[in-house]
């Protein structure tokens, strides 16, 4: 009887200690001047924000200085009308909600530049639904013509298609590895089919902690 009470009390005490030792999740508002948190297992804000800034800035700088894509009509004035069809993830990682954020960041930067005049995303999605095309399908000339015709019927003609693609390459050294992330913006002239590209790259190292390495080397 006393032994059972003792064991029961010991278990309750152990449970209480375990509950007390559990971590407590907290949060705080980050100042705009604080650096972004660096993801320990995958890319995050610290990677994607600079990629967007560099790729879009390079593209805008070239075109704002009068260096236009191949096929740009001589004497053409005013902002180019851009149909941005989305972000394709071909990297080794799932990017989750960052895919939508990447789209919005790129689109916002284009709007603010006044170098290009982007088509509203709602019109773009409506055109893709009506034609039943995926963004990759638009590389087929006939599909491009059909999609352009549908957009013109909506009162949204455009000069260029814009694609964003995220890729990665991984170099391993035992348990540590480096991953090179590349964001590529590709503009395609709907008249000539010629393309113009701008890319930005960031390399990030992922390192296994000392304790994790010791555990890996220990007896099995």
């Amino acid at each position: 009887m006393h032994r059972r009470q003792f064991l029961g009390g010991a278990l309750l005490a152990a449970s209480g200690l375990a509950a007390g030792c559990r971590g407590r999740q907290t949060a705080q508002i980050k100042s705009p001047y604080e650096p972004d948190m660096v993801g320990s297992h995958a890319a995050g804000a610290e990677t994607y924000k600079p990629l967007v800034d560099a790729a879009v800035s390079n593209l805008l700088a070239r075109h704002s200085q009068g260096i236009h894509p191949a096929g740009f009509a001589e004497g053409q004035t005013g902002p180019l009308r851009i149909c941005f069809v989305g972000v394709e993830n071909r990297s080794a990682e799932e990017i989750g909600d960052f895919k939508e954020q990447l789209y919005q960041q790129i689109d916002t930067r284009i709007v603010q530049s006044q170098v290009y005049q982007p088509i509203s995303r709602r019109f773009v999605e409506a055109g893709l639904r009506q034609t039943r095309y995926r963004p990759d399908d638009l590389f087929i000339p006939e599909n491009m013509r059909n999609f352009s015709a549908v957009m013109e019927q909506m009162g949204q003609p455009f000069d260029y298609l814009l694609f964003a693609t995220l890729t990665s390459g991984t170099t391993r050294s035992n348990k540590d590895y480096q991953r090179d992330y590349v964001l590529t913006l590709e503009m395609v002239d709907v008249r000539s089919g010629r393309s113009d590209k701008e890319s930005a790259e960031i390399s990030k190292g992922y390192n296994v902690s000392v304790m994790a390495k010791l555990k890996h080397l220990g007896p099995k």
Side-chain angles (χ1 to χ4, degrees):
M1 182 71 176
H2 295 297
R3 185 171 181 273
R4 289 180 180 176
Q5 289 177 344
F6 173 76
L7 290 174
L11 288 172
L12 286 172
S15 299
L17 286 172
C21 292
R22 287 176 184 167
R24 188 165 58 91
Q25 182 172 345
T26 62
Q28 61 280 332
I29 301 298
K30 289 177 63 66
S31 163
Y33 304 103
E34 291 183 76
D36 288 312
M37 181 183 294
V38 178
S40 61
H41 292 75
E46 84 294 334
T47 300
Y48 297 131
K49 285 182 182 178
L51 282 176
V52 170
D53 287 342
V56 177
S57 294
N58 291 343
L59 192 66
L60 297 179
R62 290 180 60 236
H63 292 211
S64 64
Q65 294 172 5
I67 304 174
H68 302 298
F72 185 83
E74 291 295 334
Q76 182 173 342
T77 59
L80 298 171
R81 291 181 62 83
I82 303 292
C83 179
F84 182 20
V85 293
V87 179
E88 182 180 13
N89 178 30
R90 291 191 177 182
S91 73
E93 302 170 2
E94 293 293 332
I95 61 175
D97 55 358
F98 268 108
K99 185 171 185 178
E100 177 64 24
Q101 192 171 94
L102 285 171
Y103 183 101
Q104 295 297 341
Q105 288 175 342
I106 295 171
D107 193 55
T108 300
R109 289 289 302 276
I110 292 172
V111 170
Q112 294 173 344
S113 73
Q114 299 184 351
V115 176
Y116 307 119
Q117 181 181 347
I119 305 297
S120 167
R121 183 179 185 180
R122 298 187 184 277
F123 281 110
V124 176
E125 291 177 342
L128 290 172
R129 284 196 304 269
Q130 185 168 334
T131 56
R132 298 182 180 179
Y133 293 150
R134 297 173 303 178
D136 277 352
D137 295 332
L138 301 179
F139 282 99
I140 300 174
E142 183 178 356
N143 294 348
M144 174 86 81
R145 288 192 292 271
N146 293 338
F147 179 70
S148 297
V150 167
M151 296 300 290
E152 286 184 10
Q153 290 171 6
M154 295 181 183
Q156 300 296 320
F158 58 92
D159 304 298
Y160 293 90
L161 284 172
L162 179 64
F163 299 85
T165 306
L166 180 68
T167 58
S168 67
T170 306
T171 304
R172 297 190 179 276
S173 176
N174 296 320
K175 291 294 182 178
D176 299 333
Y177 62 96
Q178 172 182 309
R179 185 156 285 160
D180 302 321
Y181 300 90
V182 179
L183 178 66
T184 301
L185 301 180
E186 181 176 8
M187 282 177 48
V188 180
D189 186 331
V190 297
R191 294 181 295 275
S192 67
R194 296 177 180 176
S195 66
D196 182 50
K197 287 186 177 182
E198 286 291 347
S199 296
E201 179 177 348
I202 284 182
S203 297
K204 183 178 175 182
Y206 294 90
N207 304 302
V208 178
S209 68
V210 174
M211 290 302 295
K213 288 182 179 179
L214 290 174
K215 184 178 179 181
H216 173 71
L217 294 172
K220 297 181 180 180

